[in-house]
Amino acid sequence: MAHYSPLMVGGWAAKKMLMKGFQKGVFMLLLGCGSMNASAQQIIIQLKNQLPVARKNELIELDRSFLEKRLGKLSEDVPLEIIGRKAPGAVQFDDLDGDGKWEKAVLLCDFKARETVKLKLALTGDIVVSAGVLAHVRQRRKRYDDSFGKDLLADTVPAGQPNTDFTKVKLPPFLTEGPGWENDKVGFRIYMDVRNIKDIWGKTTSAMMMDTVGVDPSNVYHHLAPWGMDILAVGKSLGAGSLALSVPVAGKADTLVRLGGIHMGKIIYRRIADGPVRAVFQMQYPAWNVLGNGKLTSLTEQISIWGGQYFYESKVSLKNAPPGARLVTGIVNLKSKKAVRDSISNPSVLYTFDQQSENNDNLGMAVMLKKTDLIAFGQAPNAGSDILNTYTVKMKLPAAKQSVSFRYYAAWEHSDPAFSAEGGFKKFLGNQAKAYNSPILIK
């Protein structure tokens, strides 16, 4: 991931930097009162908050087609600047389908209650590059000398990739055992092996830490450090939003099958976008032998995280799932005493709040999804099953060429004192639910 110091460049230097950024699938511009050529083409767009409450760090996605209808055809090397903003920030251009052309320009925006924000967009000859990074994803492999190599655009592990035996080695084959993603509030990881479980990094700093945590085995990330720590024990649960299928089996109760184990097949990682506004990556499982009968299912999960929020967003698509199967995710309940379920409201929410971090302090976790996608909340057994100690969320399978999505929240009291009591976490989720159901209007 590139980190730039603030500077202004123009002409061919700007074009080369922009092209380099697009090759990475991302580029950053400063939002501010930058200089603008007198002949620059301009438009005004309006962003409206429909809620009677203030909103912070709302992700704004501007489709390329939306911009080109107003500005004309946009080439890959012409910078788009937003001017007139008091608070600086970043714009990011994401190539989501990997065709070498960006489809989305994304930024973060704050709103007062029912506020309409006007932004002036201009095609200019100058670029202001921002050093601020609010989201990051990385996958790094261990080298022969026990250092970790460069951040990978793509990576693959074969079926049956074993989990690390730390009694035999000090460092795993991948930094923190698999892809890590974070923003300025919270971080997550997924074990890229037969476990395939998601875990949580509690953060007390806004700095991006996933390139350094776990590099030195003498710095144990299960202990509280100035930056934070690994705060979740996952065991044989679904951890922090891991995936499974609930599959009907003739003459038996539905079987809950983890996306993991020897039947999962190979795992393919692909980085799609890497900050500064959001990070996006894909985990693909093209040969999941769900029931061990040779009939293969393909599952793809696209995960996004952006600045200022305490969640990641998952979008899951499947091909050739077993008849009657349902998608399942969940929250580990190794240390929680209860789960609060709301299946009536839209969105639906499942949450826990307890002294359930690895530091034995308060941690709130939640799954939020559209009411129309929810089938039922449930609970996995605490013994005698492959998946244990989990409050579950059963969802409808997405239609062909569609996806089903959910958000997974992790709110640690060391990250924000508002999460030191359940009331603060519940109020936070209530505001999140309102925003989830009321997108920002773009005109």
Side-chain angles (χ1 to χ4, degrees):
M1 179 179 185
H3 297 272
Y4 301 107
S5 299
L7 73 157
M8 179 174 286
V9 295
W12 175 237
K15 293 182 180 182
K16 286 197 295 182
M17 187 176 291
L18 189 61
M19 292 170 68
K20 182 179 180 181
F22 282 132
Q23 290 170 359
K24 294 168 63 62
V26 61
F27 193 71
M28 55 188 100
L29 304 181
L30 191 71
L31 300 184
C33 301
S35 64
M36 183 180 66
N37 295 339
S39 60
Q41 188 175 351
Q42 305 174 39
I43 61 168
I44 300 291
I45 64 170
Q46 295 186 18
L47 311 174
K48 181 175 177 57
N49 173 18
Q50 304 173 80
L51 295 176
V53 295
R55 299 163 72 167
K56 295 193 66 176
N57 296 303
E58 287 292 329
L59 182 72
I60 307 300
E61 287 189 318
L62 302 176
D63 290 337
R64 183 171 185 152
S65 59
F66 169 88
L67 294 170
E68 290 188 333
K69 285 179 181 178
R70 292 155 176 80
L71 285 166
K73 187 173 179 59
L74 300 173
S75 65
E76 303 306 313
D77 60 350
V78 176
L80 176 67
E81 185 178 353
I82 301 181
I83 62 174
R85 291 285 300 279
K86 294 180 180 179
V91 182
Q92 177 174 318
F93 299 89
D94 287 345
D95 173 14
L96 299 176
D97 60 10
D99 67 352
K101 298 181 179 180
W102 61 271
E103 295 85 34
K104 302 280 188 180
V106 297
L107 62 140
L108 301 179
C109 192
D110 296 342
F111 297 87
K112 299 176 183 177
R114 300 197 185 281
E115 181 183 20
T116 296
V117 173
K118 294 183 179 181
L119 296 181
K120 183 182 291 185
L121 283 70
L123 297 176
T124 72
D126 296 323
I127 299 177
V128 180
V129 183
S130 169
V133 177
L134 296 176
H136 178 39
V137 59
R138 64 97 186 102
Q139 165 72 345
R140 296 171 63 189
R141 279 186 173 256
K142 185 174 66 175
R143 297 185 289 203
Y144 69 93
D145 60 354
D146 275 356
S147 65
F148 288 93
K150 64 181 181 179
D151 189 3
L152 298 172
L153 289 172
D155 199 8
T156 302
V157 299
Q161 173 74 27
N163 53 293
T164 305
D165 184 349
F166 285 103
T167 66
K168 297 179 179 179
V169 295
K170 290 184 178 181
L171 289 167
F174 323 107
L175 183 59
T176 64
E177 301 186 82
W181 64 103
E182 63 182 320
N183 62 11
D184 53 321
K185 302 295 186 183
V186 65
F188 301 90
R189 63 169 165 165
I190 186 167
Y191 300 118
M192 198 168 176
D193 55 47
V194 290
R195 294 169 296 172
N196 201 48
I197 301 175
K198 298 188 183 85
D199 199 356
I200 301 172
W201 303 106
K203 292 183 63 174
T204 56
T205 176
S206 60
M208 300 296 104
M209 299 301 300
M210 289 298 97
D211 286 326
T212 56
V213 171
V215 170
D216 181 357
S218 66
N219 294 327
V220 181
Y221 50 65
H222 296 284
H223 299 162
L224 185 61
W227 66 269
M229 63 180 287
D230 178 339
I231 58 173
L232 197 64
V234 297
K236 294 186 68 178
S237 72
L238 289 179
S242 304
L243 301 177
L245 283 181
S246 177
V247 185
V249 177
K252 300 180 181 179
D254 286 4
T255 298
L256 191 58
V257 183
R258 177 194 302 278
L259 178 58
I262 60 173
H263 293 309
M264 176 176 52
K266 68 179 179 180
I267 307 173
I268 303 170
Y269 162 87
R270 183 171 71 90
R271 190 182 76 193
I272 297 173
D274 187 20
V277 174
R278 71 172 172 184
V280 186
F281 68 102
Q282 181 184 91
M283 301 295 289
Q284 187 178 9
Y285 311 87
W288 183 15
N289 191 1
V290 179
L291 295 176
N293 57 8
K295 297 180 179 179
L296 301 183
T297 295
S298 175
L299 184 147
T300 300
E301 182 179 24
Q302 180 177 294
I303 293 175
S304 305
I305 192 169
W306 54 88
Q309 304 293 346
Y310 286 91
F311 64 83
Y312 71 82
E313 186 169 83
S314 171
K315 295 182 180 180
V316 182
S317 58
L318 293 101
K319 294 180 181 178
N320 303 319
R326 297 291 183 264
L327 183 66
V328 176
T329 189
I331 303 172
V332 58
N333 70 357
L334 281 166
K335 296 185 178 182
S336 59
K337 299 180 180 68
K338 66 173 183 177
V340 178
R341 303 169 174 88
D342 179 1
S343 59
I344 304 301
S345 304
N346 187 27
S348 297
V349 178
L350 169 73
Y351 84 79
T352 66
F353 185 90
D354 217 319
Q355 290 183 344
Q356 58 182 334
S357 80
E358 282 285 77
N359 201 49
N360 294 317
D361 39 33
N362 288 319
L363 170 64
M365 294 182 283
V367 174
M368 185 177 292
L369 71 162
K370 293 178 182 178
K371 180 181 177 181
T372 53
D373 289 333
L374 176 68
I375 293 177
F377 295 129
Q379 186 169 349
N382 293 335
S385 176
D386 180 47
I387 297 174
L388 305 174
N389 308 110
T390 303
Y391 296 119
T392 59
V393 181
K394 186 185 292 187
M395 296 169 276
K396 297 177 181 177
L397 281 192
K401 299 183 179 180
Q402 300 294 318
S403 62
V404 64
S405 65
F406 63 88
R407 291 179 176 179
Y408 192 96
Y409 288 81
W412 186 37
E413 67 171 306
H414 284 283
S415 298
D416 191 324
F419 305 136
S420 61
E422 183 175 355
F425 182 55
K426 186 176 180 180
K427 180 179 178 181
F428 164 78
L429 286 178
N431 288 334
Q432 287 286 305
K434 292 176 184 176
Y436 187 101
N437 209 33
S438 181
I440 300 297
L441 293 181
I442 303 173
K443 295 183 180 180

